[in-house]
């Protein structure tokens, strides 16, 4: 059970933290407030945000009388609203505080969501529900060119992990694709695209940089990184 799960709504937040928020309602295990997201084309889409101590966030959309979208994630609500610059829901989804629109990131409403994310220790999940890892590069010892490693599966993560451990790794050692030292290195403009689910050109965020999870750490590996992870995950 997640920390705080099943907690009574009266103890989720102090009264003074929420008293100025519009549409405040306390349920048995959640707190609900009015929320919205603004599109330059369609205007404001409003809804009701429910915050749970488990870290879950749910939005019921009231953008039109006939809208039946319910239990949306903030990211899905942001997309549903037609917001032009999506994937920034913490800044784009707002609540009304003292009559002003205030981004979720500047309120206390993300307290439990952030706690759960932090506890995940970087092993965040992408759109497919699996931990998301950005692409990484390894230098060839012979030609000094950088070669891309995709880290979408456990097998791909293991190949990258073993290549990093090998101080003499060469292009010819690659098993994920046929590449030789004669092949051109990727252009710099292409290298910035590393598969982050948050932004294609992300330089490294908590969505795509993992510090250890079941996908990229291996119990049969003798390196200290894997040993430490395996030991900590069992303790």
């Amino acid at each position: 059970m997640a920390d705080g799960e099943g907690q009574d709504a009266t103890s989720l937040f102090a009264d003074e933290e929420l008293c100025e928020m519009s549409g405040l309602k306390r349920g048995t295990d959640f707190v609900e407030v009015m929320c919205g997201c603004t599109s330059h084309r369609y205007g404001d889409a409003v809804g009701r945000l429910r915050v749970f101590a488990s870290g879950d966030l749910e939005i019921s959309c009231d953008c039109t009388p006939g809208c039946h979208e319910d239990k949306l994630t903030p990211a899905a609500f942001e997309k549903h609203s037609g917001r032009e610059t999506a994937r920034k829901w913490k800044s784009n989804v707002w609540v009304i505080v003292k009559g002003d629109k205030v981004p979720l990131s500047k309120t206390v409403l993300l307290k439990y969501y952030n706690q759960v994310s932090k506890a995940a220790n970087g092993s965040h999940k992408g759109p497919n529900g699996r931990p998301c890892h950005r692409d990484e590069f390894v230098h060839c010892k012979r030609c000094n060119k950088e070669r891309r490693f995709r880290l979408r599966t456990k097998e791909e993560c293991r190949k990258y992990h073993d290549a990093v451990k090998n101080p003499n790794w060469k292009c010819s050692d690659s098993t994920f694709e046929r590449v030789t030292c004669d092949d051109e290195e990727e252009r710099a403009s292409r290298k910035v695209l590393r598969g982050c689910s948050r932004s294609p050109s992300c330089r490294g965020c908590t969505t795509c940089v993992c510090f250890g999870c079941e996908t990229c750490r291996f119990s049969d590996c003798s390196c200290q990184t894997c040993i430490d992870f395996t030991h900590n995950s069992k303790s």
Side-chain angles (χ1 to χ4, degrees):
M1 180 178 293
D3 290 343
E5 191 172 347
Q7 187 172 334
D8 188 88
T10 58
S11 61
L12 293 182
F13 302 97
D15 289 339
E16 57 270 20
E17 292 179 310
L18 306 177
C19 64
E20 302 291 346
M21 294 187 183
S22 295
L24 176 62
K25 175 183 176 182
R26 295 182 184 272
T28 55
D29 60 348
F30 66 87
V31 168
E32 180 179 290
V33 296
M34 174 186 173
C35 70
C37 189
T38 303
S39 163
H40 296 299
R41 175 179 294 182
Y42 303 109
D44 291 347
V46 297
R48 289 165 287 120
L49 168 68
R50 287 190 175 184
V51 180
F52 299 85
S54 63
D56 291 334
L57 303 171
E58 292 182 357
I59 296 179
S60 298
C61 185
D62 295 326
C63 62
T64 63
C67 181
H68 300 293
E69 293 292 342
D70 193 16
K71 295 186 178 181
L72 295 172
T73 65
F77 176 68
E78 177 192 44
K79 182 177 181 180
H80 174 70
S81 73
R83 174 76 188 193
E84 292 79 5
T85 55
R87 295 185 179 274
K88 295 182 179 179
W89 61 266
K90 291 184 181 181
S91 298
N92 291 336
V93 177
W94 42 260
V95 297
I96 301 294
V97 181
K98 297 181 180 179
D100 295 324
K101 296 176 181 177
V102 178
L104 283 180
S105 60
K106 296 184 178 180
T107 71
V108 299
L109 296 173
L110 297 183
K111 176 172 69 173
Y112 298 101
Y113 176 87
N114 290 336
Q115 286 176 352
V116 171
S117 296
K118 183 177 181 180
N121 194 29
S123 58
H124 296 270
K125 296 184 178 181
N128 57 11
R130 294 191 297 270
C132 175
H133 302 80
R134 65 175 180 171
D135 299 348
E136 299 290 355
F137 293 86
V138 175
H139 278 98
C140 171
K141 184 67 174 180
R142 179 174 296 167
C143 67
N144 202 39
K145 294 175 182 175
E146 283 190 322
R147 300 306 185 189
R148 181 186 295 267
F149 282 74
R150 287 170 51 89
L151 308 180
R152 303 297 187 273
T153 66
K154 193 171 185 67
E155 181 183 11
E156 290 175 339
C157 286
R158 184 57 184 262
K159 291 174 181 177
Y160 167 71
H161 182 73
D162 291 345
V164 171
K165 287 200 315 176
N166 182 1
N168 297 312
W169 186 87
K170 303 180 295 296
C171 293
S172 58
D173 295 328
S174 175
T175 58
F176 61 93
E177 64 175 311
R178 294 180 180 178
V179 60
T180 69
C181 292
D182 294 329
D183 294 325
E184 292 294 325
E185 186 176 358
E186 287 190 33
R187 299 188 305 272
S189 59
R190 171 63 184 167
K191 286 183 180 180
V192 300
L193 306 178
R194 299 177 67 172
C196 175
S197 60
R198 174 181 173 273
S199 171
S201 59
C202 176
R203 296 185 178 182
C205 66
T206 55
T207 299
C208 68
V209 178
C210 178
F211 300 102
C213 70
E214 294 293 339
T215 302
C216 64
R217 298 291 183 262
F218 311 95
S219 59
D220 62 339
C221 178
S222 60
C223 79
Q224 195 60 49
T225 299
C226 288
I227 291 174
D228 290 343
F229 175 80
T230 302
H231 175 75
N232 291 333
S233 64
K234 292 180 178 180
S235 58

